[in-house]
Amino acid sequence: AQSVAQPEDQVNVAEGNPLTVKCTYSVSGNPYLFWYVQYPNRGLQFLLKYITGDNLVKGSYGFEAEFNKSQTSFHLKKPSALVSDSALYFCAFNAGNNRKLIWGLGTSLAVNP
Amino acid sequence: DGGITQSPKYLFRKEGQNVTLSCEQNLNHDAMYWYRQDPGQGLRLIYYSQIVNDFQKGDIAEGYSVSREKKESFPLTVTSAQKNPTAFYLCASSSLAGGPWTGELFFGEGSRLTVL
């Protein structure tokens, strides 16, 4: 079955340090991959997507993600974390253009001052 | 401002009662979605609609019903048949215009339903 996995329930990082939130996928064909962020008791916000082309995708709030086909990964990164980046991050994919996203379980990011 | 409005933000219901959650969008989006979010379980799709007067079941449609009588509105009814309705409910919309689907969903702020 096609799926996306976020292997870490929680990531802790100090403010100013680089952060990585991991996502791996198991999808046949060429997936569309996405990252969304959710702040406490709020809806989700779109961060970035990979459809095709350059493997390094830049998104909102200084985030970027690298599509790695050989490792079937799409990790979210930021060079310097802010306390305000603390939130729940979701990786998702779409395969077959059926206009539905399949979601990972989320990773809680805590940035400590 | 364009966006998605969900109401109410908090709702309490007694067991055996139906409750309807409102979702309205002024983004002129064709597609609308309802998700349920429980701690540690990510987002699960309840229903979605890509056009007025048409909708499809998602992964956990049992105990829920929807309607799509207007492009702007996609209300969700949580019926008494839903065995464990306490959850955070999220409505989203997406544009289907102009070529391949971009996958970008716009979310409302959510409705938290608690069954007493």
Side-chain angles (χ1 to χ4, degrees):
Chain A
Q2 301 187 108
S3 65
V4 62
Q6 294 181 242
E8 300 159 317
D9 291 334
Q10 180 150 348
V11 171
N12 294 291
V13 64
E15 186 175 28
N17 283 2
L19 70 86
T20 299
V21 183
K22 295 179 180 178
C23 173
T24 59
Y25 64 90
S26 175
V27 179
S28 58
N30 297 316
Y32 293 2
L33 295 160
F34 306 85
W35 277 102
Y36 283 76
V37 61
Q38 184 181 31
Y39 298 101
N41 295 310
R42 304 290 295 276
L44 279 71
Q45 297 177 33
F46 171 82
L47 276 179
L48 51 80
K49 67 177 182 278
Y50 173 82
I51 304 295
T52 186
D54 194 348
N55 290 343
L56 185 63
V57 179
K58 294 189 182 296
S60 307
Y61 311 122
F63 284 93
E64 58 188 28
E66 185 171 11
F67 173 68
N68 187 319
K69 190 170 184 177
S70 63
Q71 297 186 8
T72 63
S73 67
F74 189 57
H75 301 331
L76 181 70
K77 299 182 179 184
K78 187 173 183 181
S80 179
L82 301 172
V83 172
S84 58
D85 292 329
S86 298
L88 190 56
Y89 291 81
F90 289 96
C91 182
F93 78 90
N94 172 257
N97 198 30
N98 60 7
R99 298 167 177 169
K100 293 190 298 179
L101 294 183
I102 307 299
W103 298 86
L105 297 183
T107 297
S108 179
L109 173 67
V111 181
N112 306 306
Chain B
D1 285 337
I4 299 181
T5 301
Q6 289 186 241
S7 63
K9 191 168 179 65
Y10 298 95
L11 186 61
F12 298 89
R13 167 194 120 173
K14 293 181 180 180
E15 282 191 24
Q17 290 181 333
N18 291 357
V19 62
T20 297
L21 307 180
S22 171
C23 179
E24 303 277 335
Q25 55 99 0
N26 61 5
L27 299 168
N28 198 33
H29 285 171
D30 298 289
M32 296 187 74
Y33 308 79
W34 273 107
Y35 289 95
R36 171 177 171 145
Q37 184 177 21
D38 297 281
Q41 295 196 43
L43 273 70
R44 293 183 289 171
L45 183 64
I46 305 173
Y47 270 98
Y48 67 106
S49 167
Q50 299 187 50
I51 193 171
V52 174
N53 292 324
D54 188 41
F55 47 82
Q56 288 78 40
K57 292 182 179 179
D59 302 314
I60 56 164
E62 185 175 353
Y64 299 97
S65 66
V66 293
S67 63
R68 187 86 187 276
E69 298 177 359
K70 299 185 300 182
K71 188 176 184 178
E72 301 80 19
S73 179
F74 192 42
L76 173 73
T77 297
V78 184
T79 75
S80 57
Q82 169 51 234
K83 298 305 180 187
N84 185 21
T86 295
F88 190 52
Y89 291 88
L90 287 162
C91 180
S93 72
S94 179
S95 174
L96 301 182
W101 187 53
T102 64
E104 185 172 350
L105 299 181
F106 291 78
F107 282 82
E109 293 291 281
S111 293
R112 187 168 297 280
L113 172 64
T114 302
V115 175
L116 303 173

